[in-house]
Amino acid sequence: MGSVNNNGIENLASARKSLKTSLAKLKAIGLAAEKAGPILDEINQRLPSLEAAVRPIRAQREALVAVGGHINRAVVPAAAVLKVFDAIHGLEKSLSDPQLDLLGYLSVLKRLEEALRFLGDNCGMAIQWLDDIVEYLEDNKVADDRYIMNLKKALEYLRELQNEEKGHLDGGLLGAALDRLEKEFRRLLKENSVPLTMSSPSSLGEQPSIAPSPLPVLVIQKLQAILGRLIANNRLERCIPIYVEVRSGNVRASLQALNLDYLEISVSEFNDVQSIEGYIAQWGKHLEFAVKHLFEAEYKLCNDVFEKLGLDVWMGCFAKIAAQAGILAFLQFGKTVTESKKDPIKLLKLLDIFASLNKLRLDFNRLFGGTACAEIQNLTRDLIKRVIEGACEIFWELSVQVELQRQTPPPSDGSVPRLVSFITDYSNRLLGEDYKPILTQALVIQRSWKQEKFQERLLSDELLNLIRAIEQNLEGWSKAYDDAILAHFFMMNSHWHLYKHLKDSKIGTLLGDSWLREHEQYKEYYSTIFLRESWAKLPALLSREGLILFSGGRATARDLVKKRLKVFNEAFDDIYKKQSSWVVVEKDLREKTCQLIVQAIVPVYRSYMQNYGPLVEQEASASKYAKYTAQSMEKMLSSLFQPKPVKSGSFKVRQLSGKFSNGATNQYCSSPTVT
């Protein structure tokens, strides 16, 4: 038993020792584990990157062998693109100010364009190669997923740039450079576009001084060089508006000194053409100046600047300049005149417009003949049509209008009716060198539109009909007077006016010498009747019967003288009072008529008063009978028939077709100027 106990103690001691050793080891492991905790955490954090780093080692051997070739094929074009891109940004520093060195700027710009073309052509290929290698890496699990995702985002951004405008490949450098070039294009135009200086813009008769060339040759060459680069980058449509804006503004500035506000006048702003006839004269001169100098210069300049781009481009540019600069306003003013109320003066003004347009016909055809100027052509054709039809319509209605005036009363003062003086002058104007050729041309054109032939005699025949209508009017008007003496006075006045004003005229030549002599004779006839029926009756009132040798005694003679002077004075005063308001406008006829009256009365009166005046001059009431001296009577008679100040005016016209209207003219007075 003692042996058994010894064995148990040994075993227990051994177990204790083993347990103690185990506890020590556990304690050491615990301490070691406590120290290893942070290290394990760090290892845990690095495991993903370590896994990615060793993934290629885990990939299949064939994939690892092939990936090198894929990478090389993608890297080579990508590296070339990067090299060019770096070169592009190197050019940015070489882009100087185009104003200081235009040729250098254009040269660098051209190199930039070439580099961008290379990028545009090769960037797509580089992206495709890079895309292929990313796809290979992804399919063969050669790279980390997050790394591949980042590569895909970068490639997608490159694709967006490559699909947009090529200028974006350089970060917008080319666009900015072209914008600066456009600004230089505008600057060159504006600084060298100077309005024409006119020596006297307010004087229509003076010729403006014209600049020798719209732009210097060197400036034109620079503009062409700039256009070359801008057009190469599809910017022509941005250049033309700049050119049109600057040059049309320059033309408007040149015209500004002429004060063209009247071009904006509307039909409602004037009653008839006579109120703006002064503007019509200006219009012709201003239009000629604009066409021959301003638009001619712009036409040539457009050709010089845009000649390499073809006819359509530069003609289209010129058409826009002409339209914006004011040619349409000139044509619209002419149209406004055609829409005004009809009046005989309007015929002359329409012929003035036609003459101006006809004078510029070749210039219009050359400058505005292209398809780009279709609007100007249409407006011009419409204006010419309106002018011709309006002028011809008025011309063929003139005789009818004169006939309609027959119903109006004649002048109460026996003077020449304004219609007569107007038509005589008007007819001669139409047959004169200024109007006959252009009126004939208008009539020929109008007949040709109707497929009819025009014979020149139709013009002269119509004007002769006009004068014959005047003759008939005179007959009708003379019968409208209640006073027969005034009627004779009126006919004397009118026939002399016709004779005098048509004697050495175009229309007088057509009428012939016999017609002229006939009216001269009519004047003499009516003058004789007028004197016989009025003033010539007065001398008989100063009869000497019963006064010879004072047969009845001095008292009887005095009574007879008083009686006869009283009757004479009453008759003289009555005639003088009545005729003092009558008018003879023609100075020669007035002086001749007054002279005949003086000759008929004053000598008889002077002799009578010399012989018998002393019988009454001694009495207190002498002034009642010896009312006039021979001198005062002669002065009174010599001052008869003086013209009164009258308003000028053309003859009134009746509404024939709804377009004629009453009106006045400053050009045709109701009677000729008193001399």
Side-chain angles (χ1 to χ4, degrees), residues 73-146:
R73 283 192 296 272
V75 168
V76 171
V81 168
L82 287 175
K83 185 177 181 180
V84 173
F85 188 75
D86 290 339
I88 287 175
H89 281 274
L91 291 174
E92 183 176 4
K93 298 179 181 179
S94 302
L95 282 171
S96 59
D97 187 347
Q99 182 176 349
L100 300 177
D101 183 12
L102 180 60
L103 293 180
Y105 190 91
L106 294 174
S107 176
V108 174
L109 192 58
K110 189 172 183 180
R111 289 163 57 196
L112 177 59
E113 293 169 21
E114 292 171 352
L116 280 175
R117 278 196 296 272
F118 179 87
L119 280 180
D121 295 340
N122 293 276
C123 189
M125 182 175 66
I127 292 172
Q128 184 61 49
W129 281 108
L130 290 171
D131 195 46
D132 289 345
I133 189 59
V134 170
E135 183 178 352
Y136 182 86
L137 293 173
E138 185 178 25
D139 292 343
N140 292 277
K141 302 185 183 300
V142 175
D144 177 43
D145 291 341
R146 283 179 294 179

Side-chain angles (χ1 to χ4, degrees), residues 349-454:
K349 299 300 107 183
L350 290 177
L351 293 178
D352 287 339
I353 292 176
F354 183 48
S356 296
L357 292 173
N358 194 53
K359 183 178 181 181
L360 297 171
R361 179 170 54 87
L362 295 179
D363 298 286
F364 262 74
N365 290 340
R366 180 171 51 82
L367 297 179
F368 310 116
T371 55
C373 297
E375 181 182 10
I376 297 174
Q377 294 169 25
N378 292 335
L379 289 175
T380 304
R381 280 194 293 266
D382 178 65
L383 175 57
I384 292 174
K385 186 173 186 295
R386 287 170 172 269
V387 167
I388 290 176
E389 289 182 342
C392 293
E393 183 180 8
I394 295 173
F395 176 75
W396 294 118
E397 290 180 355
L398 285 173
S399 295
V400 176
Q401 290 299 317
V402 170
E403 292 174 8
L404 289 174
Q405 297 302 306
R406 206 169 297 163
Q407 303 170 19
T408 61
S412 60
D413 59 6
S415 62
V416 179
R418 65 179 59 185
L419 173 63
V420 176
S421 57
F422 179 88
I423 289 298
T424 52
D425 189 34
Y426 189 78
S427 300
N428 282 320
R429 291 287 299 276
L430 291 179
L431 282 177
E433 295 179 358
D434 292 337
Y435 287 111
K436 182 180 179 182
I438 203 70
L439 174 58
T440 301
Q441 187 176 357
L443 294 172
V444 169
I445 294 173
Q446 194 242 7
R447 284 296 178 98
S448 69
W449 289 343
K450 297 180 178 181
Q451 307 298 320
E452 299 175 0
K453 290 185 177 180
F454 175 80

